[in-house]
Each structure stands twice: as C-alpha cells, then as structure tokens.
Amino acid sequence: WSSDVCSADLSEVKFRLQPAAKDTGPPAGGTKSTDVHLPVEIEIQQLAAAIKRLELDDALSLPGQKLMHVFSDVDLAATNIAPAEVIAFNLALRDKSLSGLGTLKAQGTFRGLTKNLTLENPNLKLKATLEEFHVDAIKPYLKNSQLKNQLSGSISMEVNCEGDPAKNLHAQGVIDLSSITYKDPSRWEAPLPGQKTTIAFQINLD
C-alpha cells in the first residue's frame, strides 16, 4: 500500500507515559514474538500532521509522581516513510506554561525500519533548538535541593546528534544560561540577574 500524501489536522491528542507491565513470559505452548507481520508493505511518501493541543501525562520520568505537559501548535512533517528508506522529518511544538518545556524545533533523518516494523541498525541524525526551557520544569527532579528556591528563568539549547539512540549516540551542542536568575537572601538582598554564559558540551554513548 502506497500513499503520496497523508495529512491530519487534529484539535487535541493525549498521551500517557507509564512503567511497562511486568513480563509474565510467553504464553503456554508457544514462544513470544516481537515482530509484526503485515500482509502488505506500507509506504507514505509525505506525511503532515497539525495538532492544536497535545497533552502528555508522564508517570515514567519520576517514579511515584505524575508530570503533565501541554503542548500547542504541534507540527510534524515527514517524507519517505517506508522500510529500508531514509525518513526525513521536521517537528515543532510549544509549551508556554510557567513550568513549560519551551519551544522546540527539530529536523533530521532516520533509517533502520524493517518490513516487520522492527529496527535494524538504526541511525538518527538530528538538529534541534530549544528556547525558553523554564527552570521550573526541572525542579521536580531536584527534590530537596535548595536550588529549587534559588533558581528561576529559562535556558536555551542547540544540539546536533547522530547514531543509534539506544547504544551508540554522539551529541554535541551549546547551552545558553544567560536568562537564569539566582537568589540567596542570606548573601544578597536582590536576585542576581543572568550574565552572558554559554556551555559547550559533547556526549558519546557507546
């Protein structure tokens, strides 16, 4: 089955992330297979999706806690969606809440999809920019750290990565901390405004 253009305009989509159910093993008398065998080969030459509101209910990142993120103006475009092809994609979304993840724009390519909808030697090439990522978004991870009450503002980031996301990923980029404010009433009467500060980083996951 082949389609030249596939598009969708959705008003609201909801996702939930939660820990996987415990594996009880293969059914009696048989073996468990993770492959999906399709009677036809699916190919989409061009995909476009626009979602006005996307809710992500995250119960996976922090055990015992739920994090809710609401994204708006989600735009996804992709071409060459087919097994053994190089899939090109563009993604844009916004989270403008006070503890939001900011504005994300990403583009890149992915290959490694098989006819059985499994991955074989996957390779991701990605270039992304993140703007106005609010510090409040990471405060749930700081737990009892004093930084929860001392930091405010937002950060921006640019990143380029390439490789197998599961085991052989190389990433490098720049984090801009210029819009972060630090306060400590025991030392300074007023909060310290952010200064022009950037951090270059490189990560290799082998």
Side-chain angles (χ1 to χ4, degrees):
W1 177 76
S2 176
S3 174
D4 291 336
V5 179
C6 182
S7 62
D9 190 349
L10 306 175
S11 61
E12 184 170 345
V13 175
K14 296 183 179 181
F15 284 101
R16 173 174 296 173
L17 297 178
Q18 60 186 18
K22 292 184 178 180
D23 189 355
T24 58
T31 59
K32 186 176 180 180
S33 173
T34 58
D35 289 352
V36 178
H37 299 281
L38 300 177
V40 295
E41 183 174 315
I42 297 177
E43 177 182 354
I44 301 175
Q45 295 183 6
Q46 184 174 342
L47 169 69
I51 303 172
K52 295 180 180 178
R53 176 184 172 89
L54 186 151
E55 290 187 8
L56 177 60
D57 185 359
D58 183 2
L60 183 62
S61 298
L62 282 173
Q65 297 187 43
K66 284 188 176 182
L67 302 176
M68 175 65 73
H69 296 290
V70 179
F71 303 101
S72 61
D73 300 327
V74 180
D75 291 312
L76 172 64
T79 58
N80 259 1
I81 304 176
E85 296 290 341
V86 177
I87 302 170
F89 63 88
N90 284 275
L91 172 66
L93 55 82
R94 295 189 302 160
D95 180 2
K96 289 297 187 181
S97 64
L98 294 179
S99 59
L101 302 180
T103 300
L104 172 68
K105 294 182 180 180
Q107 61 182 13
T109 61
F110 179 80
R111 63 174 173 81
L113 183 67
T114 70
K115 293 181 179 180
N116 294 330
L117 299 186
T118 58
L119 297 180
E120 181 177 327
N121 298 322
N123 183 266
L124 172 69
K125 293 183 179 180
L126 175 69
K127 180 178 181 180
T129 60
L130 181 63
E131 297 180 350
E132 296 183 350
F133 180 94
H134 292 277
V135 173
D136 286 351
I138 64 174
K139 288 185 177 180
Y141 301 89
L142 297 178
K143 297 183 178 180
N144 297 324
S145 173
Q146 293 184 355
L147 291 175
K148 291 181 65 174
N149 299 320
Q150 294 173 331
L151 294 178
S152 60
S154 64
I155 66 175
S156 298
M157 179 189 304
E158 296 181 2
V159 61
N160 292 276
C161 60
E162 181 176 358
D164 183 338
K167 60 182 180 181
N168 188 24
L169 186 67
H170 306 283
Q172 61 182 11
V174 176
I175 301 175
D176 189 343
L177 305 177
S178 304
S179 298
I180 286 184
T181 298
Y182 178 82
K183 64 178 181 180
D184 186 349
S186 65
R187 297 184 179 183
W188 301 283
E189 294 183 358
L192 300 179
Q195 302 295 323
K196 183 62 178 179
T197 305
T198 58
I199 299 175
F201 66 90
Q202 183 171 329
I203 302 173
N204 295 314
L205 301 178
D206 296 320

